Amino acid sequence: MRILFTPLPYPTHLFQQGPLIWAARTEGHDVRVASQPNLTPTTISLALPAVEVGDGYDFLGAVVNLRGGNKFRPADLEALSPEEMNRLRDERFVPVVELAARMAPDLMSFAERWRPDLIVTDPIVLAAPLVAAALDIPVVRKIWGPDILSGHPLQGQTFDGTERDAWPTGLVELFDRYGVEVRNDYPLRTVDPWPPSLKQIGAPGRLPERYISYNGAGTVPEWVLEAPERPRVCVTCGTTNSVFGSDPNLLPRVVGALARLDIELVVAVNSADRAKLGPLPDNVRIAENLPINLLLPSCETIVNQGGAGSVLTAASLGVPQVLIPETGETPLISHTFADGGAATVLEATADADAIASAVTTVRTDEAVQKAAQKIRDEIAEMPSPAEVVHTLEELTAA
């Protein structure tokens, strides 16, 4: 069959869909990846066919601007009138709605001509369920961690007739423009990599999928394959933390705190974050642009920002974690994962002693080690991407 994948136009979101896309191709299905042109180089680097839709809109920049101006506290929200709450809701959804509006014409045109049998979409790409509903194509969501968008528009909730009042005004207008009924239940299933023993959020029609780590292409350095002389600990801050306005002093503070321990510290960063670090002691190694799935099998612990890709990559390898979330959805992901006992969560303001103590604890605590191994084994037992493809075949046939 023909399967159209619609990831959010950011590389890590395509990486999350990659194993399922490859499994679909291996099972003999024809696939296309439709997203904004800025994702095309990454799509092609994964040996996948790209379809460019929705040019001319900087979604990530719009999200950054929105987050930078959103300073509301719960007490502020409680004082707002219903009309003010609706206005705030509409402002909050501007990037998502505008992305849908920009993508919809091109995506509709392509789908009308190519006629996919199934659409698999990132839950933020709301043009996908719009096109799916207009053309009577089954659509499923592919989430990347806990279902943090549960309760937002078009996330597979049961239709209850309140959607027109609950949705942001611009999204209602977009669906009306295409003559598509305003309802949330177009996504039929949710392909979900989050381990089932951990706290579940939403995920209607859940299809569990084993997390297969892919953090981008890279060359495996020889030292990764050698047994370290001291316990190896990884530090990474992901790829979007600095974009979303994280504290530029956090990474140097973490590195400084851990460099004084009797460990080998590997700092996995991009070139922009590398520039934040000055001279480093001999027990600190920089791994610039090295995908962490190539590094973590040799590590005893990882300190990371709580992004879903970093958390699940470490979890799938049984590596205990210290999570220091700052921005976006990372606090929710961090605390939801830490409930399973395989990680500890620190505030971004934690001092050097607290950071060093947390790493020492998760690296040596037997209970944390066992919890990490349990989650690793649980992930390994989840249905493979190939098995999920078979389920999607049955869903489409039905």
Side-chain angles (χ1 to χ4, degrees), residues 221-376:
E222 188 171 339
W223 58 264
V224 167
L225 304 176
E226 299 171 352
E229 295 181 359
R230 288 178 283 189
R232 181 173 287 162
V233 174
C234 172
V235 170
T236 184
C237 52
T239 58
T240 59
N241 243 29
S242 58
V243 175
F244 287 140
S246 64
D247 179 1
N249 297 314
L250 177 58
L251 180 61
R253 186 174 358 120
V254 172
V255 172
L258 301 183
R260 66 192 191 188
L261 301 178
D262 187 22
I263 60 174
E264 177 190 326
L265 183 63
V266 181
V267 185
V269 290
N270 56 31
S271 57
D273 288 324
R274 171 64 182 94
K276 300 174 184 176
L277 302 172
L280 299 169
D282 292 341
N283 68 327
V284 178
R285 186 193 299 269
I286 295 295
E288 191 170 318
N289 297 322
L290 177 65
I292 62 170
N293 61 299
L294 303 181
L295 166 64
L296 285 184
S298 68
C299 295
E300 293 190 4
T301 307
I302 181 174
V303 181
N304 69 77
Q305 83 292 0
S310 299
V311 168
L312 283 174
T313 296
S316 68
L317 296 168
V319 179
Q321 305 181 54
V322 173
L323 305 174
I324 310 180
E326 281 191 280
T327 62
E329 69 273 13
T330 58
L332 178 57
I333 293 172
S334 297
H335 288 284
T336 302
F337 181 79
D339 285 346
T344 189
V345 181
L346 298 179
E347 295 291 333
T349 56
D351 62 20
D353 289 340
I355 295 169
S357 175
V359 168
T360 299
T361 297
V362 301
R363 190 176 64 79
T364 58
D365 189 296
E366 185 175 346
V368 176
Q369 303 284 334
K370 288 183 177 180
Q373 293 164 7
K374 177 184 175 182
I375 293 174
R376 176 200 61 196

Side-chain angles (χ1 to χ4, degrees), residues 56-78:
Y57 181 63
D58 181 5
F59 171 77
L60 188 60
V63 172
V64 170
N65 291 336
L66 179 68
R67 287 180 173 176
N70 189 353
K71 304 299 182 183
F72 281 93
R73 299 169 299 176
D76 298 327
L77 297 176
E78 293 172 2

